[in-house]
C-alpha cells in the first residue's frame, strides 16, 4: 500500500462520519479532478450545442455550414464521452471507497488511470478541435459514432483507445478494492453501491470489446494507411455492439444516484436493496445483445436478426420499469416520513426546494418521457418513420441529455461540499438552474420530436432544403425552430449558472457544518436478497453466452458477404453489375472479347452519360 493510501486509512478510522474529504482526502482529490474534467467538457459541449442550435434553426449564424460537422462532433464527443464518463469514474470511486469503507489500494494507480483518460481526451478532443483551423491537416469530423467510410486522423482513434484503457484500469482499481475487502470480510454481502459499480464495469468490459476491435483492427490501421479498406457494415455492427450498452454506461451513475442518494435526500430509505441488485444484473445481461436495433435500416443484415434484436430490446424495459417503481416507492416513503399523506398529496411533502432533490426528481420525470420515445425507436417498423430525423436527438436529450446530465448536475450539489469541505455557493441559483434545464429541455425536445415526425433530418446545417416545405399538421416549422432555439438558449444559461456555482463553491464557498458522507439505508436490505445475486462470475458467464447467441451469426454473415476488410474495388454496387450483365447479354460477343473489368467501367460510363443526358 502506498504512503498516501495509508494516510487515508488513518483518516477513516479517526473521524468516521465526517465529510468525504475528511475520510478519504487523497481520493477526494482524484474525484475532484475527475469532476472538474467532466465540467470542462460540459462547458465546451454546451457552447457547441448552442452554436449548432442557432445555426441549424437559422436564427443566428456565424460559422460556415461546412464547419457544422466539426461543431457537432465536438458537441457529441465532449458530452457523451467526456462529460458523462469522467463524472462516472469520480462517482464510482466515491461509491466503492464509501461503501467498502476503505481507501483505494494504491493512489498512484488511481492517478494513472485518471491520467490515461485525460491524455486520451486531449488527443481525441484535440484532433476534433484541430478541424477548426487550416493550419494542420488534422481533423476528426466523424461524429461521436465515428462510422466508416468517414475517416478521422489517427490521433482521434488512438486517443479513444487510450481513454478506454484508462476506464479499464479504473475498473481494475475497483475490482481490486472489492477483492481485498472480500478477503477481510468473508461471507459478507457486497455493499449495494459497490455491487452497482462492479456489475456496470463487467458490462463495460464486454461492451468495449466491440469498439476496441473496431478501432484497433480496422479503423486505426485504415486511417494510418496500413489497410486500404474496411467493411463498413462490420465496423458499424461492432460500433453498435458497444453503442447500445454505452447508453447504460451513461445511465448507471444516474441510476446509482437515484437508488442511493435520492431516497436519502427525500428523507426516507431505499425501498428494496434486492430489487436494485436485480435491476443491475438485468442491465448486465440484457444491454449488449441488442445493439442491432440501431441498424434496422442498415442493408446487409437480415431482417431475422433485426427482429431478434427488437424482441431482446423489449425485455430491457423491465429493469427500467422496476427502477421507476422502486425509486418512486422510496420517495413516497421519504415523503411520508416527512409528514406527507394522501394518495398523491404526499408529493407536496417532498423537499422540492432542495436542488439535489428537485434536479433528480425532474430528471426522473423527463426519463419517463424518454422511455416512451425510446419504445418507439425500438419498434422495427415505426423506427423507419423516425430514423435519422430530429426525433432521435429529441429522444436522447431526454435520456442522456436530461435523465443523466441533470441527475449528475444535481448530484454535484451534494458532492461539491463533500469533496471541497465548502458549502454550496448559492442554493437558490442551483434550484433555478435545475428548473431551467427542465424547462429548456421541455421546449427543445418536444419540438425536436415533432420536427422529426415531419421528416426533418438530424445532423445537417441546412435542414430547411431551399424550395422544399415541410408539412406541419400542427403549428409551423418556424414555430418549431423558435422552440428549439429558445430551449437551447435556456439550456446554455443553465450550464453557465451551474458552472458559476461550481467555481464559486470551490473558491469562495463558506466552510461550515456539512452533512456526513453517507447514503440511503434500506427498508429491505441485502439480507433479503438471494445469495446468487452476488455471484458475479455466474452473471458474467451468462452475459457472455447471450452475446455469443446474439452476435455470432450476424457477424459471420456480414463477414461472409462483405469480407473482413471490406469489399475490394471490383465489387461495385449490385445494380451496376446487374446492368453490366444485361449489357453483355444484349451486345454479346463484341464486349465479351474485351477484358471484363475495363469493359464494365466503360459501360458504366456510357450508361451514366446517357442517363444524365436524358434527365437534362
Ligand atoms: C446547451 C445544451 C444543449 C443544446 C443546446 C443541445 C443541442 C443539440 C442539437 C440542436 C443537436 C442536433 C444537431 C443536429 O443533429 O444537427 C444536438 C445533438 C446532440 N446532442 Fe445536444 N444539446 C445540448 C446538451 C446536450 C447534452 C447535455 C448531451 C449529452 C450529455 C447532448 C448530446 C448530444 C448528442 C450525442 C448529439 C448528437 C450528435 C450527433 O448526431 O453526432 N447534448 N444537440
Ligand atoms: Cu440502443
Amino acid at each position: 500500500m502506498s504512503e498516501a493510501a495509508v494516510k487515508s486509512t488513518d483518516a477513516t478510522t479517526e473521524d468516521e462520519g465526517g465529510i468525504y474529504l475528511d475520510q478519504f482526502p487523497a481520493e477526494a482529490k482524484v474525484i475532484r479532478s475527475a469532476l472538474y474534467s467532466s465540467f470542462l467538457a460540459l462547458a465546451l459541449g454546451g457552447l457547441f450545442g448552442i452554436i449548432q442550435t442557432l445555426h441549424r434553426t437559422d436564427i443566428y449564424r456565424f460559422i460556415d455550414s461546412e464547419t457544422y460537422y466539426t461543431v457537432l462532433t465536438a458537441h457529441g464527443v465532449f458530452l457523451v464521452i467526456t462529460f458523462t464518463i469522467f463524472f462516472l469514474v469520480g462517482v464510482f470511486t466515491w461509491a466503492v471507497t464509501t461503501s467498502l469503507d476503505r481507501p483505494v489500494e494504491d493512489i498512484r494507480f488511481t492517478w494513472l488511470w485518471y491520467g490515461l483518460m485525460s491524455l486520451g481526451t486531449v488527443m481525441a478532443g484535440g484532433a476534433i478541435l484541430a478541424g477548426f483551423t487550416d493550419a494542420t491537416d488534422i481533423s476528426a469530423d466523424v461524429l461521436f459514432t465515428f462510422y466508416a467510410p468517414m475517416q478521422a486522423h489517427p490521433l482521434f482513434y488512438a486517443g479513444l483507445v487510450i481513454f478506454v484503457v484508462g476506464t479499464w484500469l479504473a475498473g481494475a482499481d475497483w475490482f481490486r478494492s472489492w477483492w481485498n475487502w472480500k478477503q477481510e470480510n468473508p461471507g459478507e454481502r457486497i455493499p449495494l453501491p459497490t455491487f452497482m459499480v462492479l456489475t456496470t464495469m463487467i458490462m463495460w468490459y464486454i461492451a468495449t470489446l466491440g469498439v476496441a476491435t473496431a478501432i484497433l483492427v480496422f479503423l486505426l490501421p485504415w486511417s494510418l494507411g496500413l489497410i486500404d479498406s474496411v467493411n463498413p457494415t462490420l465496423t458499424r455492427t461492432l460500433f453498435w455492439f458497444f453503442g447500445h450498452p454505452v447508453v447504460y454506461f451513461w445511465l448507471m451513475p444516474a441510476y446509482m444516484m437515484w437508488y442511493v442518494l435520492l431516497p436519502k435526500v427525500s428523507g426516507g430509505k431505499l425501498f428494496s436493496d434486492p430489487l436494485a441488485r436485480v435491476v443491475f444484473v438485468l442491465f448486465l445481461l440484457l444491454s449488449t445483445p441488442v445493439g442491432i436495433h440501431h441498424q434496422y435500416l442498415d442493408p446487409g443484415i437480415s431482417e431475422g436478426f433485426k427482429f431478434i434484436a427488437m424482441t431482446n430490446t423489449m425485455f430491457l424495459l423491465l429493469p427500467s420499469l422496476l427502477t421507476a417503481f422502486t425509486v418512486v416507492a422510496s420517495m413516497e416513503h421519504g415523503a411520508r416520513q416527512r409528514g406527507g399523506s394522501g394518495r398523491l398529496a404526499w408529493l407536496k411533502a417532498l423537499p422540492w426546494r432542495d436542488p439535489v432533490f428537485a434536479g433528480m426528481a425532474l430528471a426522473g420525470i423527463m426519463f419517463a418521457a424518454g422511455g416512451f420515445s425510446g419504445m418507439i425507436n425500438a419498434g422495427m417498423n415505426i423506427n423507419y418513420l423516425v430514423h435519422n430525423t430530429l426525433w432521435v436527438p429529441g429522444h436522447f436529450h431526454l435520456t442522456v441529455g436530461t435523465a443523466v446530465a441533470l441527475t449528475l448536475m444535481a448530484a454535484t450539489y451534494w458532492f461539491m461540499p463533500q469533496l471541497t469541505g465548502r458549502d454550496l455557493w448559492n442554493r437558490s441559483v442551483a434550484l433555478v438552474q435545475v428548473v431551467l434545464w427542465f424547462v429548456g429541455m421541455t421546449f427543445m425536445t418536444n419540438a425536436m420530436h415533432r420536427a422529426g415526425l415531419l421528416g426533418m433530418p438530424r445532423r445537417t446545417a441546412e435542414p430547411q432544403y431551399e424550395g422544399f416545405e415541410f408539412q406541419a399538421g400542427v403549428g409551423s416549422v418556424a414555430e418549431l425552430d423558435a422552440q428549439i432555439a429558445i430551449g437551447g438558449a435556456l439550456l446554455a444559461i443553465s450550464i453557465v449558472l451551474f458552472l458559476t456555482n461550481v467555481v464559486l463553491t470551490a473558491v469562495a464557498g463558506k466552510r461550515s457544518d456539512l452533512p456526513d458522507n453517507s447514503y440511503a439505508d434500506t427498508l429491505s436490505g441485502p439480507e433479503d436478497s438471494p445469495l446468487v445475486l452476488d455471484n458475479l462470475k455466474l452473471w458474467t458467464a451468462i452475459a457472455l453466452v447471450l452475446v455469443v447467441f446474439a452476435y455470432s451469426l450476424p457477424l459471420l454473415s456480414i463477414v461472409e458477404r462483405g469480407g473482413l476488410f471490406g469489399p475490394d474495388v471490383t465489387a461495385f454496387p449490385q445494380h451496376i453489375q446487374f446492368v453490366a450483365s444485361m449489357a453483355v447479354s444484349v451486345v454479346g460477343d463484341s464486349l465479351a472479347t474485351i477484358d471484363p473489368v475495363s469493359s464494365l467501367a466503360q459501360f458504366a460510363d456510357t450508361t451514366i452519360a446517357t442517363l444524365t443526358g436524358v434527365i437534362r
Side-chain angles (χ1 to χ4, degrees), residues 125 153 168 264 321 489:
H153 190 273
W168 287 348
K264 189 181 162 63
L321 291 173

Side-chain angles (χ1 to χ4, degrees), residues 479-507:
E479 167 251 341
L480 291 176
D481 276 346
Q483 279 204 50
I484 293 176
I486 292 171
L490 295 180
L491 292 171
I493 298 171
S494 177
I495 289 184
V496 171
L497 294 182
F498 173 76
L499 295 170
T500 310
N501 223 336
V502 166
V503 171
L504 290 181
T505 300
V507 300

Side-chain angles (χ1 to χ4, degrees), residues 66 73 103-104 113 144 190 293 303 327 434 442 497 544 575 587:
E66 293 90 272
T73 305
V104 298
W113 59 249
F144 81 102
I190 310 174
H293 69 206
E303 296 282 287
V327 171
V434 296
T442 306
L497 294 182
L544 286 171
H575 61 277
V587 188

Side-chain angles (χ1 to χ4, degrees), residues 272-569:
S272 165
D273 164 303
L275 213 51
R277 284 175 208 252
V278 169
V279 165
F280 274 69
V281 168
L282 285 175
F283 279 126
L284 162 60
L285 299 186
L286 300 175
S287 59
T288 338
V290 298
I292 290 179
H293 69 206
H294 291 262
Q295 298 179 282
Y296 290 149
L297 276 172
D298 278 21
I301 300 177
S302 78
E303 296 282 287
F305 296 138
K306 293 176 183 173
F307 186 82
I308 294 171
M310 172 172 78
T311 14
N312 289 346
T313 302
M314 297 303 172
F315 286 120
L316 263 173
L317 286 173
L318 184 67
S320 289
L321 291 173
L322 283 176
T323 300
F325 168 75
T326 315
V327 171
V328 173
S330 312
M331 286 185 348
E332 180 179 346
H333 174 257
R336 294 196 189 281
Q337 298 309 301
R338 300 162 59 91
S341 62
R343 255 194 218 155
L344 285 178
W346 56 266
L347 282 168
K348 284 189 295 194
L350 288 167
W352 290 103
R353 295 188 159 274
D354 175 359
V356 182
F357 173 82
M360 288 194 203
L362 294 175
I365 294 171
M366 289 300 242
F367 191 52
F372 290 116
S373 60
M375 279 187 238
I376 288 170
N377 300 342
M380 205 167 144
N381 45 359
I382 17 185
N383 181 292
Y384 296 174
L385 188 71
V386 294
H387 197 89
N388 274 343
T389 69
L390 209 51
W391 168 285
V392 175
H395 161 73
F396 60 66
H397 282 88
L398 285 175
T399 48
V400 63
T402 306
V404 175
L406 186 52
T407 300
L408 302 189
M409 291 190 271
T412 302
Y413 295 138
W414 186 81
F415 278 114
M416 279 304 287
Q418 293 292 329
L419 295 172
T420 59
R422 291 161 186 273
D423 219 345
L424 202 59
W425 170 69
N426 191 318
R427 291 203 161 258
S428 312
V429 169
L431 188 61
V432 170
Q433 185 265 315
V434 296
V435 173
L436 263 188
W437 193 269
F438 180 81
V439 176
M441 274 302 181
T442 306
F443 275 109
M444 191 172 94
T445 57
N446 157 56
M448 281 176 158
H449 280 99
R450 281 176 52 209
L453 289 178
L454 308 182
M456 192 178 292
R458 69 186 278 206
R459 293 180 158 178
T460 171
E462 310 284 351
Q464 70 276 15
Y465 288 139
E466 293 299 333
F468 173 86
E469 298 281 320
F470 291 101
Q471 292 297 324
V474 183
S476 68
V477 172
E479 167 251 341
L480 291 176
D481 276 346
Q483 279 204 50
I484 293 176
I486 292 171
L490 295 180
L491 292 171
I493 298 171
S494 177
I495 289 184
V496 171
L497 294 182
F498 173 76
L499 295 170
T500 310
N501 223 336
V502 166
V503 171
L504 290 181
T505 300
V507 300
K510 286 199 267 322
R511 295 177 177 273
S512 55
D513 278 345
L514 296 168
D516 289 347
N517 173 42
S518 64
Y519 54 91
D521 283 336
T522 51
L523 282 176
S524 159
E527 62 289 350
D528 297 331
S529 69
L531 255 180
V532 67
L533 275 179
D534 281 12
N535 189 341
L536 297 179
K537 278 194 196 126
L538 175 70
W539 303 123
T540 310
I542 300 178
L544 286 171
V545 169
L546 291 178
V547 164
V548 172
F549 275 138
Y551 271 98
S552 50
L553 290 179
L555 283 176
L556 268 176
S557 86
I558 289 167
V559 173
E560 214 168 58
R561 279 184 217 198
L564 203 52
F565 290 98
D568 65 31
V569 269

Side-chain angles (χ1 to χ4, degrees), residues 202-246:
I202 297 172
M203 180 200 80
W204 181 244
Y205 283 124
I206 296 176
T208 43
L209 289 180
V211 77
T213 311
I215 296 181
L216 289 175
V217 181
F218 301 104
L219 299 175
L220 184 57
W222 176 61
S223 94
L224 285 169
L226 301 175
I227 54 174
D228 292 335
S229 65
V230 296
N231 175 344
T233 314
L234 178 59
T235 51
R236 274 173 77 95
T237 308
L238 287 172
F239 177 85
W240 284 119
F241 174 88
F242 149 88
H244 184 74
V246 77

